[in-house]
Amino acid sequence: MKKRFVCVWFHHLEADWFAMRKPALKMAPFVLAAKDHGRMVITAANALAEEQGIKKGMVVANARMILPALEVLDHFPELNDKLLNKLAEWCIRFSPCVAIDAPDALIFDASGCAHLWGGEIDYLTTIITRLNDRGYQVRVGMADTIGAAWAIARYGQSSPVIEPGMQSSALLSLPPASLRIEQELVERLYKLGLHQIKDFISMPRSALQRRFGQPFLQRLNQALGMEQEFIQPVQPIEAWQERLPCLEPIVTLTGIEIALEQLLNSLCKRLEQEQKGIRTLHLHCHRIDDAIITVSIGTNRPSRNLKHLFKLFENKLQTIEPALGIELFVLDAVKVEDHTAVQEKLWEKQGGLHDTQLAELLDRFTDRFGRNCFHRYLPDEHYWPERSIKASQSLEESITTAWRTDQPRPIHLFPNPQPIEVTAPIPDYPPMFFRFKGQLHKIIKADGPERIEQEWWITEGQHRDYYCVEDEAGQRFWLFRAGHYDAAKTYGWYLHGLFA
Amino acid sequence: MFAFETFPVDPYMLQPKSDIIRRLQHEILPLQGYKSALGRSSLKIDLDAINPAFPNATFPLGAIHEFMVNAPGTKAATSGFVTSIISSLMKEEGVVLWISANRTIFPPALSFFNIDAHRIIFVDLRNQKEVSWAVEEALQVKGLAAVVGEVQELDFTASRRLQLAVEKSQVTGFILNNNKKNNTNASLCRWQVQVAPSIPIDNLPGIGYPCWKVDLLKVRNGCPGSWQIAWMNGRFSTTTNKRIVYKEFHKKTG
């Protein structure tokens, strides 16, 4: 597709912003000034001030000579960048690829965008009116190259649109400054009597390069489309992104659902062609009051099942506040993984951990209860009971060591060992009685002890001597004594678990 | 002249009565929630002497089994009994979901019941409401071997929903009910498992094979009863042949 670029030039960016904040300033000439070597130098002036011949770079004292009523405001050093950034993000509604052209312009890659607004003239008119409504004075230009769009936006006299392929003829009557070259070079060209581009465009390239250098030639070539130029978009273009601009702002839940379904449908189709599946998906809703609301979902396994993805979004759609209406939906698959159709078939058959339906069920759980709601446990190489398992959130992770069955383990393990009172013969016989929560248990059968040492390289502490005991009723317990019997009574008896 | 007309012969008329009854039973059982009692023979759970308590002498799969765990000492015994049953369900590639709000199950112990503990997914939720939702959602998923849910209460409506879900998906649901009251609900079987003294291994001292007193309090179209059953070397075996048969209390519900 033939590239088309739009350049939006904010000729009084900062002044417009101040005027918006203080409506009284709209009717008065004012400038912004910053201290520079002990003088106040003007950094920006509004249109009224410029009419009087006050320009950027002048000293305030000189400007006051011209216009004694001139109002001088303080310059905010970072305001310009902030404003441009914000405007660039806002302008994503006009084109997915918006770049900042410091200090006071935006460049859109508008290839294939204009027809959505009914043609290039209408497209530009919309951009101008929308920005004017916000309070910004802009000039725009549209051309095949960034250089030409830039030139026409700043120096164009008639139409802001240069028809495809016509940039060389359109540029002829523009001054050399429209080529984005240094001021020094512009002055040199003027000195030589080259006041318009047509004065030197037909000169031999080698002569131009010799006299004005390579950068000048590069700029000329870029403007004419003989050399490619790239822009750095404010938001990188996602490969897996779907956009749905709405003619009328959407305010109802049903409307949002329909929009989401349409977006998911086209995204899933694309994913299917490329054999990919979604892991993380964001839905950005651009509201007409400039707010962007984002809801996101995640899956445990790559998926491109429209029904399933929609279901995950279902709860979250309720939280979207449309306010005055949503004019643009952007569905952004942030994390995409390979997901081939062959895999899908295999999974459907198996019904094990790789089951698609299981993964979808767990997605629904995650969506509703949070990331940490489910675990699998894998054996870990530790004897200490609490450390003998490790939790895993992944369905893929497989065991690296086998489950041990050489020593009995209780089916219920208390998170914290419960202290008990015990009557036990020394040195290391199992207890005869123990009392837990006021109830006395007489021990009939017992096994043990099984000594488990504390892993000193992890934490210090006493060892445990575990006993499996059974009381009169047949209840089976896992008890332990922490530490050795000693006079200082540093040992203690605990109930740690119940056997089946 | 008489012309002999040939009447269509009712096939039931030619069979002995017992055959007819058996056939009718086979037609009625699926309607009562015993879809798996007939056919699907690949998975069979052998509960030894308890088997005859069920219709067709088959442990019903694809149904809701409710276990009362309200009495002290029943929780550990029930977990043991349920995991023993699940171990046969997991012989194929199946995955089990264990959903609860305050879980104390210790996965390494499951390998004593021949279960690969890493094939159980533990879902730990904050409250009963979440557990009920998750259990119902999980029971609708085909391809799971079983779903275990630890709940505080299972009322009639909830149990009906669960039973309907499993009849569709053919997943077996084990609901560990901690309710103090044994209220009526739609689960197919209601059990109570209590601890019983272990059975010595080769007459050696110490703790032997785990043994439980299993009460089948309710089973639709079956015979409730009480048994002592032990888990020995990977299979169930009833220790006493003495079987107390409960007279089933039938409530006509129209």
Side-chain angles (χ1 to χ4, degrees), chain A residues 311 351-353 357-358 361-362 364-365 368-369 373-378 385 388-389 395 399 403-405 407-413 445-447 468-470 473-476 498-500, chain B residues 73 75-76 79-80 83 93 95 97 103-109 111-113 117-118 120-126 130 133-134 137-138 141-144 195-198 206-207 210-212:
Chain A
K311 208 165 180 186
L353 278 170
Q357 290 193 35
L358 174 69
L361 175 75
L362 293 176
R364 268 175 276 154
F365 285 173
R368 203 172 166 116
F369 308 126
C373 72
F374 71 91
H375 295 102
R376 284 167 67 218
Y377 290 95
L378 307 174
S388 63
I389 48 170
L395 293 175
I399 54 169
W403 291 98
R404 300 173 62 94
T405 51
Q407 293 289 349
R409 288 290 175 266
I411 193 148
H412 285 283
L413 188 80
K445 299 172 188 167
D447 278 331
C468 312
V469 301
E470 185 177 310
Q475 259 188 297
R476 291 170 279 274
L498 303 172
F499 285 99
Chain B
K75 202 171 175 193
S79 311
T83 38
E93 264 291 283
V95 172
L97 247 66
R103 178 180 56 84
T104 48
I105 290 283
F106 188 47
S111 39
F112 294 91
F113 296 95
H118 54 273
I120 297 191
I121 296 170
F122 293 98
V123 183
D124 297 315
L125 304 174
R126 287 178 291 265
E130 291 185 351
W133 183 87
E137 200 79 356
V141 174
K142 283 177 195 147
L144 291 180
V195 286
S198 62
I207 294 177
C211 186
W212 306 291

Side-chain angles (χ1 to χ4, degrees), chain B residues 17-102:
Chain B
K17 214 171 192 178
S18 59
D19 276 10
I20 299 171
I21 289 172
R22 196 176 313 132
R23 181 193 283 216
L24 284 173
Q25 265 177 348
H26 277 218
E27 277 170 27
I28 291 167
L29 281 177
L31 300 176
Q32 287 183 317
Y34 287 103
K35 255 184 203 162
S36 64
L38 322 159
R40 218 185 117 173
S41 53
S42 62
L43 272 178
K44 217 163 198 164
I45 288 161
D46 185 17
L47 288 177
D48 205 15
I50 308 183
N51 287 335
F54 304 111
N56 221 18
T58 316
F59 179 85
L61 297 173
I64 294 291
H65 292 267
E66 185 192 9
F67 290 82
M68 305 306 294
V69 289
N70 44 16
T74 49
K75 202 171 175 193
T78 309
S79 311
F81 185 64
V82 167
T83 38
S84 323
I85 296 176
I86 286 175
S87 75
S88 346
L89 285 173
M90 281 179 82
K91 272 185 191 139
E92 290 174 10
E93 264 291 283
V95 172
V96 169
L97 247 66
W98 195 298
I99 303 165
S100 71
N102 42 3

Side-chain angles (χ1 to χ4, degrees), chain A residues 252-263:
Chain A
T252 60
L253 182 62
T254 330
I256 297 172
E257 279 176 5
I258 293 169
L260 176 62
E261 212 172 334
Q262 274 190 20
L263 288 171

Side-chain angles (χ1 to χ4, degrees), chain A residues 269-286:
Chain A
K269 263 188 199 148
R270 270 177 60 202
L271 289 165
E272 202 173 337
Q273 281 165 2
E274 309 253 338
Q275 304 276 300
K276 302 268 186 197
I278 287 165
R279 289 293 308 273
T280 314
L281 192 59
H282 295 311
L283 175 70
H284 305 287
C285 306
H286 292 245

